[in-house]
Amino acid sequence: MAPHPSRDDQLFSLFDDPEGQASALYEQERDAELLDRSRAEYRRVTLDSRLMASVGDRLALTVVGVGRIEGELQRMGLGWCPVSGHAQDWIVRTPCIEVVQGASDRSIPEVARSPLHKLGVTSALRRLAESRVRCVVHLVDGGQHEAVVRRVGADFVEITTPGDEAVLIAYDAISAVQSRD
């Protein structure tokens, strides 16, 4: 025959149940608060910060006016990134990136970046102008120009076409530049 619980045991069991319920309720509230904080923090994560954490990784980018570009993300600049593909190198303007596949799960915030990451697309275009390498300038509207970058202005690039025509292209019209070395 099972022993009858004592009066003290019955009294403690009455207190144990509400204490257990309170503990469970506290855990639920804490979990909900942590989830809210996590969502609030993730709202601050930018595409650039995810790309920054992906430097050195192979990615597939879908770029406006170009389509799919696959290659290793070399580094990040302010509003652009160089991607090294199989036989070609690309300079991609990050505002023109629509889809990224293969990105790191991490994020690197802006405050953790070096001054080199603050270089604008003009630095990459100037390097092309200095090297006089043939390239294809891809436009947001899907057009393209086979050219040599000649000079780089404040908000445009001057190219020379194979027919020696000088053409000025606004940065906002450029989605990517593909090296033809």
Side-chain angles (χ1 to χ4, degrees), residues 33-48:
E33 183 180 340
L34 288 173
L35 183 61
D36 284 345
R37 283 185 186 178
S38 175
R39 286 180 183 150
E41 284 300 313
Y42 198 74
R43 278 188 284 244
R44 296 184 209 183
V45 174
T46 64
L47 181 60
D48 277 359

Side-chain angles (χ1 to χ4, degrees), residues 25-77:
L25 185 59
Y26 171 77
E27 288 294 320
Q28 285 178 337
E29 288 176 4
R30 188 177 70 107
D31 289 348
E33 183 180 340
L34 288 173
L35 183 61
D36 284 345
R37 283 185 186 178
S38 175
R39 286 180 183 150
E41 284 300 313
Y42 198 74
R43 278 188 284 244
R44 296 184 209 183
V45 174
T46 64
L47 181 60
D48 277 359
S49 71
R50 289 290 299 273
L51 287 170
M52 177 62 82
S54 302
V55 169
D57 295 343
R58 287 198 57 77
L59 302 176
L61 308 175
T62 304
V63 180
V64 173
V66 177
R68 187 176 175 94
I69 295 174
E70 294 184 32
E72 182 181 326
L73 182 62
Q74 299 292 309
R75 66 186 173 96
M76 287 293 296

